[in-house]
Amino acid sequence: MNRKTLISITLAAALACGLAIAQPPGGGHPDPEAHLQNLSVLLELSPQQQAQLRDMLELKRKEMEARREAGRESREQMREERKANREAFEQDIAAILNAEQQAKFKAIQAERRARHEQRRAMRQQRSGEG
């Protein structure tokens, strides 16, 4: 193995270790300052390199935050649209039913929602046990 390859592998391993060390326990968001410190020690970064890396990490954090927020907004927006469509559909159905049919329809909806909540609770319980 030539010297450049060995150096590249060593740097890649050091970087991977630094990334793993910078991760907080429990899989939360990594602390950028801890990440920077670990990489600074492992890679023996100069103060100038540390400043550049700090800027890069901050930019990456902002990009990820923007992506996460955009995803959250689109999910919320889709959820709201589905809810509005469902409510409009239910109102359209209720408009063509007589009083007795509307009562049955509401009972069916209530039963359906109860089953849905029961399934959701069971899924949460199973995922909590695993």
Side-chain angles (χ1 to χ4, degrees):
M1 191 178 308
N2 68 25
R3 187 176 173 135
K4 286 184 180 181
T5 304
L6 184 59
I7 291 172
S8 297
I9 291 172
T10 304
L11 285 175
L15 181 62
C17 290
L19 293 173
I21 292 170
Q23 297 293 322
H29 297 292
D31 176 20
E33 209 42 53
H35 191 126
L36 177 63
Q37 290 303 320
N38 287 328
L39 290 176
S40 295
V41 170
L42 291 170
L43 301 176
E44 300 175 10
L45 299 177
S46 70
Q48 181 182 7
Q49 289 172 316
Q50 289 178 22
Q52 290 173 331
L53 184 57
R54 181 177 283 115
D55 293 344
M56 287 173 51
L57 289 172
E58 181 63 21
L59 180 63
K60 183 61 75 181
R61 184 192 65 78
K62 287 180 181 178
E63 288 173 359
M64 290 299 291
E65 195 174 281
R67 274 194 227 131
R68 204 173 15 253
E69 192 61 36
R72 185 177 301 129
E73 287 176 6
S74 65
R75 281 193 307 266
E76 286 297 320
Q77 185 179 17
M78 286 175 28
R79 190 176 296 131
E80 291 297 320
E81 288 174 5
R82 281 195 310 263
K83 183 179 177 182
N85 289 338
R86 185 178 57 245
E87 288 173 355
F89 180 69
E90 290 172 357
Q91 288 175 355
D92 291 344
I93 290 175
I96 63 171
L97 302 177
N98 64 33
E100 185 178 325
Q101 292 169 326
Q102 286 181 6
K104 286 181 183 178
F105 182 66
K106 286 180 182 179
I108 290 168
Q109 287 178 306
E111 182 181 332
R112 214 176 104 235
R113 286 186 180 114
R115 281 197 315 262
H116 177 74
E117 288 301 319
Q118 185 179 19
R119 284 192 307 268
R120 178 184 288 166
M122 289 175 62
R123 278 193 305 266
Q124 288 177 345
Q125 186 179 18
R126 276 191 302 237
S127 67
E129 292 174 358

